[in-house]
Amino acid sequence: MKKHDLHASEEQTISVDGVPVVSRRMMAGSFAVMAAWLTGSGIGRAATRGSAAGQYMPAIGTDYATTDPVYFDPEFPPIHFPHSFKSKAGKPIQSFMWLANGPEAKGCVIISPQANGGDSMDSLIPAILSAGINVMRFNPRGMWDEYEDYSIAGSLDDLLDAIAFLRENGGRHAVPGSGDHPRQYQIDLDHIAVLGKSGGGGLNGLIAASESPYLNTMIAVEPARLRVLPPYYDKHFEEVRVATAGRIDQKKWFDKLTPADRERMDVLKAAPKLVDKNVLLIGSMDQDYVQNIHKPIVQAMNAAGAKHFSAMILEAGNSFMLNKRIALSRIVISWLKNECGF
């Protein structure tokens, strides 16, 4: 891994529900990141590239989060276009593709959107493209259309189908609607990653990585766990249902989960299948999340002997990352390029 001087100018340690959180100002104060590793007492030895580490901090050469690419290829410029791919059952799944500058084969980050269609991490896309990585985002069936009912399990299947789509034709695809001589692009099949938040993104990405031999890299941003929910969630679910005129009915989604669905999507049981995968877990400082989700996932990954697992907490609440998008971009890109070879 190539190292870069981050010029940390100050450091402060605080605690969130017993979990140490290290605050550093980097690069002469221009980059503030909150990072936490669960350390000590068997809870916190997370590993990066197989070695125990105190914390993961991004290595930055070019700062893709704030710097546009210097080189522009007029024959293969960055491009964004809508398209669709088919589910295993032959149903169309709407998706969007962003291609980075240049004709060479590139890795691709699949963005799996949050279950309620809220946060698709779109604000990270320009920085990821600047780093020379393609991006694909899909809309799971039933999320925005009226033809099917959305479900977490169904969106997981759609994510697996998105991976299968990228692998078609050895990763070579044509840009739709690009004329008689369609522009071609090539996906580097050894470098496909999933990025997502909460249940539809973070949880689904972890489970997809445990099920697919073709998904080796996962960035889970505050993933959910399908556990028994506290009673006050019923009130919250009802408020959301009314506010969205019934479009988002989280209680309905939760109640429709079958025992088989819950077993399949138990992230703690999936941990042994992730030991050889690249997994970055990024959490918020919300105490309920830290205690009930972040710590158990870290414990399960450590107990399984994960070889390429990194975990951190950013200074954000459970609405998450709206105040940390540049920091998040830097972390994601540094980890993909320096730890995972993108």
Side-chain angles (χ1 to χ4, degrees), residues 134-251:
N134 296 331
V135 178
M136 175 187 181
R137 175 169 61 79
F138 69 97
N139 290 334
R141 290 166 297 151
M143 179 174 283
W144 297 111
D145 62 80
E146 299 177 353
Y147 306 107
E148 298 193 38
D149 291 330
Y150 175 85
S151 72
I152 289 286
S155 65
L156 171 57
D157 291 333
D158 292 347
L159 173 55
L160 293 169
D161 290 335
I163 297 167
F165 164 75
L166 290 180
R167 292 183 54 80
E168 289 178 2
N169 303 315
R172 180 165 292 280
H173 303 272
V175 175
S178 55
D180 294 335
H181 302 285
R183 173 174 167 178
Q184 302 287 317
Y185 63 97
Q186 178 74 39
I187 302 297
D188 180 348
L189 300 184
D190 293 326
H191 293 96
I192 294 175
V194 169
L195 165 67
K197 177 185 180 294
S198 193
L203 174 62
N204 272 355
L206 290 169
I207 301 304
S210 75
E211 293 185 356
S212 173
Y214 307 117
L215 175 60
N216 294 318
T217 302
M218 174 59 213
I219 303 163
V221 180
E222 203 181 37
R225 279 183 62 198
L226 299 181
R227 64 191 195 281
V228 177
L229 299 178
Y232 64 82
Y233 270 61
D234 284 347
K235 179 181 178 182
H236 169 69
F237 288 166
E238 179 60 18
E239 289 173 348
V240 172
R241 188 192 67 79
V242 171
T244 60
R247 187 187 71 81
I248 300 175
D249 192 339
Q250 292 166 299
K251 188 176 189 305

Side-chain angles (χ1 to χ4, degrees), residues 236-292:
H236 169 69
F237 288 166
E238 179 60 18
E239 289 173 348
V240 172
R241 188 192 67 79
V242 171
T244 60
R247 187 187 71 81
I248 300 175
D249 192 339
Q250 292 166 299
K251 188 176 189 305
K252 177 182 175 182
W253 299 344
F254 190 80
D255 290 344
K256 285 178 65 175
L257 289 169
T258 66
D261 290 334
R262 293 174 189 271
E263 180 73 16
R264 178 189 184 192
M265 304 188 73
D266 186 333
V267 66
L268 303 188
K269 292 183 178 180
K273 298 179 181 179
L274 297 169
V275 294
D276 293 317
K277 304 294 177 97
N278 301 312
V279 177
L280 176 60
L281 175 66
I282 303 177
S284 74
M285 295 179 69
D286 179 77
Q287 291 190 12
D288 178 69
Y289 163 78
V290 171
Q291 184 63 38
N292 295 304

Side-chain angles (χ1 to χ4, degrees), residues 262-332:
R262 293 174 189 271
E263 180 73 16
R264 178 189 184 192
M265 304 188 73
D266 186 333
V267 66
L268 303 188
K269 292 183 178 180
K273 298 179 181 179
L274 297 169
V275 294
D276 293 317
K277 304 294 177 97
N278 301 312
V279 177
L280 176 60
L281 175 66
I282 303 177
S284 74
M285 295 179 69
D286 179 77
Q287 291 190 12
D288 178 69
Y289 163 78
V290 171
Q291 184 63 38
N292 295 304
I293 300 178
H294 196 84
K295 289 170 77 172
I297 292 176
V298 171
Q299 289 173 323
M301 293 293 287
N302 288 335
K307 300 174 184 176
H308 311 290
F309 172 59
S310 303
M312 65 192 317
I313 290 174
L314 295 191
E315 186 185 25
N318 56 13
S319 59
F320 213 72
M321 293 306 163
L322 297 181
N323 64 323
K324 291 294 177 183
R325 289 296 161 131
I326 291 178
L328 183 59
S329 296
R330 287 166 167 159
I331 292 163
V332 166

